Amino acid sequence: MSPPFVILILSLLLGLQPLTTDLYLPALPALTKSFGTVPAQAQLTLTALLLAFGLSQLVWGPVSDLVGRRKVLLAGLAGYTVAAVGSTLAASIEALVLWRTVQGACMGAGTVCARAIVRDLYAPEAGARAMSKGLSGLGVVACISPPLGGLVAELFGWRTALMLLALFGGATLFVVARRFEETLRERRPAALRPAVLAGTARQILGNGTFWAFALLCTSSFGGLFCFLASSSFIFIGLFGFSSTAYGMVLLSLSACYIAGTMLCRRLLVRIGVTRAVRVGGLLSLSGGGLMAALLVAGVNDPWAVMAPAWLYMLGHGIHQPCGQSGAVGPFPQAAGTASALAGFLMMAVAFASGGWVGAHMDGTASPLIEGMAFWSVSVALVAWVLVRRVGPRHEPAAPSAAGAASRQGCA
């Protein structure tokens, strides 16, 4: 597979998660009204999906180390597409939550394999650059999703927005089936044996580099999810935005995220992983801190939420490539399992964040702001303390011929 095609595959696989969450967010209030339910129950269509997404990665990761990335991708994408159709046709909120849970479980295959593919093909530094390009593609998907979802929901209803997920899943399945070649060079026949699984998990969970980078992307995602879980009700219900206008809000955040991934690539070349992450920590803290300061000052305006969130998303665009590639970097022989554990940690935190925000919704923007402020401090602490401690071990050594070749392919 050519390097550009690898980046395309990464973009499609990594784009599944933001598309599945962001596309229907503008339709969430209409969906809530359609089923005659309350926001907290409607939010289960998001939080249950992400919990299943996180748990499923613990299975998909070791399985991909055993049978390869291709078979796992084919099975996961097929299940995702079927579940998307089921979500579209759901007759009750309970059925919708069930189908979205299945969809989240199948979606885990794509994300786990995307991170593992990066480790299969690239050394850690080149992997961070490849991941940043794949996550730029994710950002493009995330840019398109909210305004498209808002427009489709206004014109055709929320069910049509969910049907678009089935079309995307089917298209990704087609590309993988036709063009994707197996990247796992050495399979692990004993990967699913309990003793081997336990030993591999102990090795990964006992590694300081894994924890530093896994917590980096987890903390950053926790803040983003506070925004995703509550912003539709705040911007549409509190600030009076239309579904389409709210979609444009999410588009602006995705554009800042793409800018962050581009900034990440420049910083990696110029100052390395550790210092790039420290810059990202400053951006994250500035965004969350400014948002909290405006809340304390009594500023109740959409711009008081949006402008600081743009800063936060610039930092998020740095933390995700570095964090996701850094967490699997030390484990070339167990990249699937390491990816699964990192992914589970991210989704467990997202589920907890969404639950906290849902329980504290009071008709104001305070829960969103308080949650993002908390996670911005957490991101900064991880970036400036934990990543700094393990940074020298993660920084690349002098390039070998093979390493230079992989970097040229990534570039």
Side-chain angles (χ1 to χ4, degrees), residues 37-313:
T37 186
V38 296
Q41 189 172 13
Q43 281 181 330
L44 282 175
T45 61
L46 183 61
T47 53
L49 174 139
L50 287 177
L51 181 62
F53 177 50
L55 289 171
S56 72
Q57 293 180 57
L58 297 177
V59 177
W60 291 122
V63 170
S64 75
D65 287 336
L66 173 65
V67 303
R69 319 304 182 200
R70 179 180 168 83
K71 290 181 180 179
V72 166
L73 285 175
L74 292 175
L77 290 170
Y80 174 93
T81 305
V82 171
V85 174
S87 298
T88 305
L89 302 176
S92 66
I93 188 65
E94 291 80 11
L96 180 58
V97 170
L98 176 62
W99 279 115
R100 291 279 289 179
T101 302
V102 174
Q103 195 173 9
C106 294
M107 183 171 69
T111 303
V112 160
C113 287
R115 298 193 200 105
I117 288 166
V118 169
R119 189 61 189 92
D120 291 341
L121 298 178
Y122 301 107
E125 182 208 10
R129 293 172 60 193
M131 183 63 79
S132 72
K133 289 191 175 185
L135 289 172
S136 294
L138 175 153
V140 172
V141 172
C143 271
I144 297 171
S145 299
L148 177 62
L151 182 62
V152 168
E154 284 191 0
L155 295 178
F156 306 108
W158 61 267
R159 292 185 186 274
T160 306
L162 291 179
M163 177 54 73
L164 293 178
L165 299 179
L167 296 177
F168 185 85
T172 304
L173 175 62
F174 177 80
V175 172
V176 169
R178 290 293 301 272
R179 294 286 308 278
F180 181 76
E181 299 173 12
E182 182 58 60
T183 60
L184 182 63
R185 296 186 179 91
E186 184 179 345
R187 301 185 184 185
R188 303 180 67 214
L192 291 179
R193 293 178 185 174
V196 175
L197 273 175
T200 302
R202 281 196 301 270
Q203 178 191 6
I204 294 169
L205 295 176
N207 186 284
T209 299
F210 169 82
W211 277 110
F213 285 99
L215 288 175
L216 179 70
C217 51
T218 295
S219 300
S220 188
F221 190 76
L224 171 61
F225 196 73
C226 283
F227 191 97
L228 294 178
S230 58
S231 58
S232 62
F233 297 101
I234 290 171
F235 279 91
I236 295 174
L238 178 63
F239 295 139
F241 282 39
S242 67
S243 295
T244 302
Y246 170 67
M248 297 304 292
V249 171
L250 295 184
L251 185 151
S252 70
L253 262 67
S254 297
C256 289
Y257 174 73
I258 293 174
T261 62
M262 293 178 177
L263 175 62
C264 178
R265 291 200 290 275
R266 289 182 175 273
L267 292 175
L268 286 173
V269 172
R270 294 184 179 183
I271 60 177
V273 174
T274 306
R275 291 180 180 176
V277 165
R278 290 165 65 182
V279 172
L282 178 60
L283 289 168
S284 301
L285 185 60
S286 298
L290 178 59
M291 198 180 289
L294 291 172
L295 173 66
V296 172
V299 180
N300 186 27
D301 184 88
W303 290 105
V305 177
M306 287 172 55
W310 292 339
L311 282 174
Y312 188 93
M313 291 304 292

